[in-house]
Amino acid sequence: ADGACWNSVMLIDGKEETVKSCLSPSEMKGQVFCYSSRNVSKRNCCFTDFCNNETLHLYPGIAHVMLRALGRHLIVVILVPSCLLCVGILLGVFVVQGHRCAYRRAHKQDPEEPLDDQMLMSPDKSLKDLIYDMSTSGSGSGLPLLVQRTIARTIVLQETIGKGRYGEVWRGKWRGEDVAVKIFSSRDERSWFREAEIYQTVMLRHENILGFIAADNKDNGSWTQLWLVSEYHEHGSLYDYLNRHTVSVEGMIILALSIASGLAHLHMEIIGTQGKPAIAHRDLKSKNVLVKKNGTAVIADLGLAVKLDSSTNTIDIPSNHRVGTKRYMAPEILDETININTFESFKRADIYSLGLVFWELARRCSDRGLHEDFQLPYYDMVPSDPSIEDMRKVVCDQKLRPSIPNQWQSCEALRVMGKLMRECWYANSSARLTALRVKKTLSQLSAIKDIKE
Ligand SMILES: *[C@@H]1O[C@H](CO)[C@@H](O)[C@H](O)[C@H]1NC(C)=O
Ligand SMILES: *[C@@H]1O[C@H](CO)[C@@H](O)[C@H](O)[C@H]1NC(C)=O
Ligand SMILES: *[C@@H]1O[C@H](CO)[C@@H](O)[C@H](O)[C@H]1NC(C)=O
């Protein structure tokens, strides 16, 4: 139930090797879906009982070679009747294929990879309905793979809206709704796979984490297109938003609280069958936070995240510890003193970056008409594309941090934000606040605001 079966054939040392297997839904979470790589020449995935009970062959020619090896005397006995049979079968196949092609054309589907008839979607369902169905069905991790693929292949791309670390981001339309599509280049297959895998971690879904919809890979033989489909937020990133707009005191608190809530959810481990592992983001910055229409924020770009497997107390990927954006790197990452054997270290490094994002946000808070222009952290201390060395000198050696303007003292909310930032970017990582602590402080602040109004 809900799993997938597959069969594949590979050419290994000139011999075809076939593998057939099925995956349970829980195994599929790790696999993303019917993942194919270049040396697997053919792989079929399907979603009904025993549907992989067919043996794939790479080359029809191989059967012919084998026949020759059997010896000439067999040819007269076997080949002549088989040929007649083959002709019959071929005719049959042509007729059936003709029908199937017509069916696919009618349904505008990809002829290379037919979709199963077992459509889980009725045509009038919106993305919200589908995601709601999914969250109540209990798997909590993502839409069934078949549905993901179907959605991805019926999206019409509209315009590019940005360039990410890997490839481009597009706005697309699916049944009239806007979606964001991140298209990875085939070089970055691993990043695509990793991000899709993280988004499909059980119970990751949260109102302050970008809503994942689908991942799809489409291989036409020479080229792999890798898609990651998510909710679309027209305001774009917090970076773009703050560049264009100032925020009110209330607006700042709502944004800060929602970012902290998203990060607290990522960091939190939930134990139990419906639990989630602790996750550290490792590339938190204003460009990786998106602003929703109602002024709350979501955390996006989970491609560098790491998960903690608490049963074995191991981090799920061998970690290259110097990943992320140099400008936002915590001092212990810059000077390589971070202890990568404890997961807590990665969370603390996220908190440092959170402090910098809060600084960018608070500068744009317009209190009685007063606000600063938009700037990136350390804009006045390092060059525009700083090296690790530039950052290390400022952050570790000179122990500098972004400056906190004096006038913040005259506004309660800005004073609290200033204090939070300082407690997020301590050089001593174990002295930094936790995401949950930041979230609680900001909830209290927003409650006080509500009472005053
Ligand atoms: C595969 O797709 C790419 C990009 O769309 C295209 O340039 C290439 O010609 C295609 N190759 C084949 C074999 O269809
Ligand atoms: C913003 O929208 C989300 C749903 O997308 C809702 O849960 C949240 O309460 C809203 N927040 C505010 C401040 O309106
Ligand atoms: C770092 O902070 C922790 C918690 O406040 C404290 O116990 C520890 O002594 C500090 N370490 C250093 C080297 O200052």
Side-chain angles (χ1 to χ4, degrees):
D2 300 330
C5 291
W6 53 272
N7 48 0
S8 70
V9 54
M10 264 180 271
L11 203 58
I12 294 174
D13 295 336
K15 278 207 313 235
E16 283 188 345
E17 294 205 357
T18 58
V19 183
K20 296 179 190 178
S21 183
C22 292
L23 300 166
S24 66
S26 66
E27 286 169 316
M28 254 173 16
K29 271 161 214 154
Q31 301 264 338
V32 184
F33 50 75
C34 308
Y35 185 60
S36 51
S37 67
R38 294 209 172 273
N39 58 355
V40 177
S41 298
K42 225 184 231 178
R43 173 174 272 193
N44 279 350
C45 270
C46 53
F47 304 87
T48 54
D49 289 344
F50 300 108
C51 58
N52 61 340
N53 196 12
E54 145 194 48
T55 302
L56 291 179
H57 287 291
L58 284 175
Y59 306 110
I62 283 181
H64 175 71
V65 172
M66 278 161 64
L67 267 183
R68 245 199 348 220
L70 277 176
R72 276 170 193 284
H73 65 283
L74 281 178
I75 289 179
V76 183
V77 187
I78 294 174
L79 200 59
V80 174
S82 329
C83 271
L84 290 174
L85 197 65
C86 280
V87 170
I89 290 173
L90 276 176
L91 274 175
V93 167
F94 269 120
V95 171
V96 171
Q97 280 298 79
H99 275 296
R100 286 172 66 176
C101 284
Y103 172 84
R104 282 173 203 148
R105 268 196 299 277
H107 289 75
K108 287 212 178 65
Q109 285 169 3
D110 189 273
E112 292 306 314
E113 297 177 42
L115 296 171
D116 204 275
D117 294 342
Q118 186 195 333
M119 283 298 181
L120 298 161
M121 300 186 287
S122 62
D124 54 334
K125 282 208 166 165
S126 70
L127 282 172
K128 270 211 181 68
D129 298 336
L130 284 170
I131 287 165
Y132 178 79
D133 288 356
M134 171 195 73
S135 57
T136 51
S137 74
S139 90
S141 62
L143 290 166
L145 305 178
L146 174 63
V147 178
Q148 290 192 23
R149 177 155 285 192
T150 308
I151 293 174
R153 301 218 169 157
T154 47
I155 288 172
V156 183
L157 295 179
Q158 308 284 316
E159 56 172 342
T160 51
I161 49 175
K163 276 210 187 304
R165 191 180 321 111
Y166 313 108
E168 290 179 327
V169 185
W170 286 71
R171 179 175 64 82
K173 282 261 184 220
W174 188 75
R175 291 188 185 168
E177 290 178 73
D178 283 323
V179 292
V181 182
K182 194 161 156 187
I183 303 181
F184 293 69
S185 63
S186 36
R187 227 188 18 258
D188 292 318
E189 196 168 353
R190 288 177 69 92
S191 319
W192 164 82
F193 188 74
R194 178 67 183 162
E195 192 162 3
E197 187 187 18
I198 291 276
Y199 271 120
Q200 292 177 94
T201 299
V202 190
M203 299 308 286
L204 181 59
R205 208 160 270 283
H206 185 272
E207 61 176 328
N208 302 118
I209 293 181
L210 180 62
F212 169 83
I213 297 167
D216 187 27
N217 63 337
K218 192 168 163 181
D219 199 333
N220 71 359
S222 64
W223 185 273
T224 315
Q225 266 219 335
L226 305 164
W227 282 26
L228 206 74
V229 183
S230 67
E231 291 169 352
Y232 172 77
H233 298 295
E234 63 186 34
H235 282 313
S237 70
L238 181 65
Y239 171 87
D240 293 329
Y241 187 79
L242 294 177
N243 256 296
R244 287 195 290 262
H245 307 278
T246 59
V247 291
S248 64
V249 173
E250 292 73 27
M252 171 185 73
I253 296 173
I254 288 170
L255 280 168
L257 175 57
S258 55
I259 301 167
S261 304
L263 191 63
H265 182 70
L266 265 187
H267 282 184
M268 177 169 46
E269 178 180 12
I270 302 172
I271 297 178
T273 45
Q274 284 296 297
K276 83 170 254 308
I279 298 173
H281 188 287
R282 299 205 300 167
D283 195 18
L284 193 62
K285 55 178 173 176
S286 51
K287 284 183 179 163
N288 288 344
V289 170
L290 304 177
V291 180
K292 288 207 226 182
K293 215 168 187 167
N294 72 359
T296 59
V298 295
I299 294 177
D301 260 284
L302 298 180
L304 290 175
V306 285
K307 292 195 267 191
L308 173 71
D309 179 350
S310 70
S311 60
T312 57
N313 203 29
T314 49
I315 297 166
D316 72 328
I317 47 166
S319 54
N320 170 2
H321 56 278
R322 259 192 184 175
V323 296
T325 306
K326 298 182 186 87
R327 188 182 291 275
Y328 291 83
M329 276 181 187
E332 64 274 17
I333 298 178
L334 293 167
D335 68 10
E336 297 188 271
T337 56
I338 183 171
N339 175 4
I340 59 166
N341 298 316
T342 142
F343 192 74
E344 215 48 44
S345 308
F346 296 108
K347 294 208 258 180
R348 290 168 182 165
D350 278 352
I351 294 293
Y352 169 86
S353 313
L354 177 71
L356 298 180
V357 172
F358 278 5
W359 178 85
E360 291 170 73
L361 171 59
R363 277 174 66 91
R364 299 297 279 156
C365 175
S366 189
D367 175 37
R368 282 159 284 167
L370 282 176
H371 57 82
E372 318 272 327
D373 56 346
F374 178 79
Q375 292 295 352
L376 286 170
Y378 303 107
Y379 73 101
D380 49 354
M381 307 174 206
V382 297
S384 66
D385 183 17
S387 66
I388 295 238
E389 199 44 38
D390 295 329
M391 293 308 304
R392 199 185 56 73
K393 273 189 197 135
V394 170
V395 177
C396 305
D397 298 352
Q398 298 172 264
K399 300 197 190 313
L400 295 174
R401 294 293 183 271
S403 61
I404 292 183
N406 283 333
Q407 67 265 25
W408 287 8
Q409 297 306 318
S410 61
C411 164
E412 162 75 359
L414 281 170
R415 209 178 45 73
V416 172
M417 286 289 283
K419 182 161 180 288
L420 280 177
M421 284 168 216
R422 280 200 212 92
E423 294 177 13
C424 285
W425 62 45
Y426 286 136
N428 175 354
S429 67
S430 48
R432 291 178 200 150
L433 299 173
T434 63
L436 200 58
R437 186 67 254 163
V438 175
K439 177 184 164 182
K440 283 182 178 161
T441 304
L442 289 166
S443 325
Q444 281 160 7
L445 189 61
S446 78
I448 294 169
K449 276 270 165 240
D450 288 346
I451 291 165
K452 277 187 190 159
E453 284 159 13

